[in-house]
Every structure is written in C-alpha cells, then in structure tokens.
Amino acid sequence: MSENEQREQGAENDAPIAPELPRWARRSPGGEVLSDERMVAYFGPKWETSYKRKLAPFVADPSFVPTWNWPAAIAFPPAWFLYRKLYLPFALFFLVPGFVFRILTGSDTPQTMAEMSKPENEWLKIMSIAVMVSSSLAAGGTANWFLFRRARAANRFVAMQQLPEPETLALMRRMGGVNRSATSLYVALIVIMTLMKIAG
C-alpha cells in the first residue's frame, strides 16, 4: 500500500462518526402507500376534489407542518373535528380554551351577556375573544394533519386484518366518513347554550 493510500485510509478512520439519533428524534420515514381506492372509501367523493391535495404534504413526510383548513377554523370549532370523527382533537379543542381562559384571567365570572356587558368586565370580553380566535387558528392549522393521521391509522388497521378487498373497503368506509348525528346534536347544544347566555 502506497504512502498516499495509507494517509487517505488514516484520514477516513479519523473522520468523526455521526452519533445515531434515538428513535423518538428520527424523522418518520415517508412514502407510505395510501391507495386512492382506500382513501375514496375513507373520505368519500371529497378525496379527489379536496383532501388528496390538502393531505399531499403529509404523504411524503408525515411530520407535522401547519396547513390550512377553513371549515375547521370557522365551523363552530371544534364541531368539524366531531364531524370528521376526530374525537380526541374534538375533546382537546372543546376543553382547552376554557382552561386557558381561566388560567389567563383567574376569573370565575359567568360569561353571560349581562356579565360581559358590565364595564368592569370589558377586559374579560376581550380575553374571551382572543382565546376563541386563537383556538380557531390552531384548529384551522392542525386539522389536516390530525385528519391525515387518522386516515393513515385506519389504513394500517385494515391492512393488518388481511381481509378481501371488498371487505377492506367496507371497513375503511365504516372507520371514515362523517358523524352527522353527533355533530348536529353538538351544534344544537351550542346554539341553546349561546341563547341562554344571551338571556342571562
């Protein structure tokens, strides 16, 4: 072996070895196959017209990146999550804003129209609006990612069942779709509670 070759080999041996990252810090491998047929079964006709484009950033790399979903941001948050059967995010967006409001204000004042219209509670009204707007922005920015994660979990679950394709698609339809009855009930309750607040 020549002197130059020995020098090059020694330099390679002296090169620092990059430490291997723990599993939790590694980027998840992308490229999981989500067939159009299964996604149509899961989402319905909106897969081709809307969700295929909205979820495209997560198919290549499932890591979270903020994207935007108008219905999740403006449709009685968190009603959209309930409508799309995202029950854990629904609970999160239903409960957390109330806790945040109480932590920020330290107030137990009932949020009725009569109380909020008092001059001394003007700041509470502003804080309530700020928390509501922040919650809507967070819902709109995370909705597509939550939806992708649920669709991917459903796809993995049905793949593990090793069912014939017609039964696989039927199971995807049951796991996906929307929950109209629970959403209608929730919106009705929100409207009733809002009217009660207005009435004082």
Side-chain angles (χ1 to χ4, degrees), residues 35-82:
S35 74
D36 275 348
E37 197 173 20
R38 286 187 184 180
M39 292 300 99
V40 167
Y42 184 87
F43 288 100
K46 284 197 170 183
W47 170 248
E48 290 292 345
T49 60
S50 179
Y51 287 114
K52 188 174 186 177
R53 175 183 51 80
K54 287 181 178 179
L55 304 185
F58 307 115
V59 174
D61 182 358
S63 304
F64 173 74
V65 291
T67 57
W68 191 249
N69 186 310
W70 277 109
I74 62 176
F76 284 104
W80 182 88
F81 293 96
L82 183 59

Side-chain angles (χ1 to χ4, degrees), residues 125-148:
K125 186 162 52 173
I126 293 168
M127 288 299 293
S128 178
I129 292 168
V131 168
M132 187 176 67
V133 169
S134 300
S135 178
S136 292
L137 290 173
T142 59
N144 292 331
W145 184 69
F146 281 124
L147 189 59
F148 169 79

Side-chain angles (χ1 to χ4, degrees), residues 159-172:
M160 287 191 298
Q161 306 309 306
Q162 299 181 342
L163 299 168
E165 194 60 18
E167 292 179 35
T168 294
L169 296 178
L171 183 55
M172 285 295 285

Side-chain angles (χ1 to χ4, degrees), residues 14-195:
D14 292 341
I17 298 170
E20 187 175 339
L21 293 171
R23 191 168 58 187
W24 59 265
R26 291 180 216 147
R27 180 163 273 202
S28 300
E32 182 175 348
V33 177
L34 299 172
S35 74
D36 275 348
E37 197 173 20
R38 286 187 184 180
M39 292 300 99
V40 167
Y42 184 87
F43 288 100
K46 284 197 170 183
W47 170 248
E48 290 292 345
T49 60
S50 179
Y51 287 114
K52 188 174 186 177
R53 175 183 51 80
K54 287 181 178 179
L55 304 185
F58 307 115
V59 174
D61 182 358
S63 304
F64 173 74
V65 291
T67 57
W68 191 249
N69 186 310
W70 277 109
I74 62 176
F76 284 104
W80 182 88
F81 293 96
L82 183 59
Y83 180 71
R84 273 290 169 190
K85 299 183 178 179
L86 297 165
Y87 301 120
L88 189 60
F90 165 76
L92 181 77
F93 283 102
F94 182 76
L95 297 172
V96 169
F99 288 127
V100 170
F101 176 79
R102 281 175 179 76
I103 289 168
L104 290 176
T105 63
S107 173
D108 290 328
T109 304
Q111 294 184 39
T112 61
M113 288 299 283
E115 286 293 326
M116 290 296 168
S117 61
K118 293 178 180 177
E120 65 268 22
N121 290 334
E122 183 71 23
W123 71 282
L124 288 176
K125 186 162 52 173
I126 293 168
M127 288 299 293
S128 178
I129 292 168
V131 168
M132 187 176 67
V133 169
S134 300
S135 178
S136 292
L137 290 173
T142 59
N144 292 331
W145 184 69
F146 281 124
L147 189 59
F148 169 79
R149 286 178 60 85
R150 190 172 194 284
R152 185 180 62 172
N155 185 59
R156 287 176 175 175
F157 177 79
V158 298
M160 287 191 298
Q161 306 309 306
Q162 299 181 342
L163 299 168
E165 194 60 18
E167 292 179 35
T168 294
L169 296 178
L171 183 55
M172 285 295 285
R173 274 189 287 274
R174 281 200 304 275
M175 294 181 74
V178 295
N179 190 340
R180 287 187 177 89
S181 55
T183 308
S184 300
L185 179 61
Y186 171 75
V187 171
L189 287 172
I190 290 295
V191 169
I192 290 168
M193 288 170 63
T194 302
L195 292 174

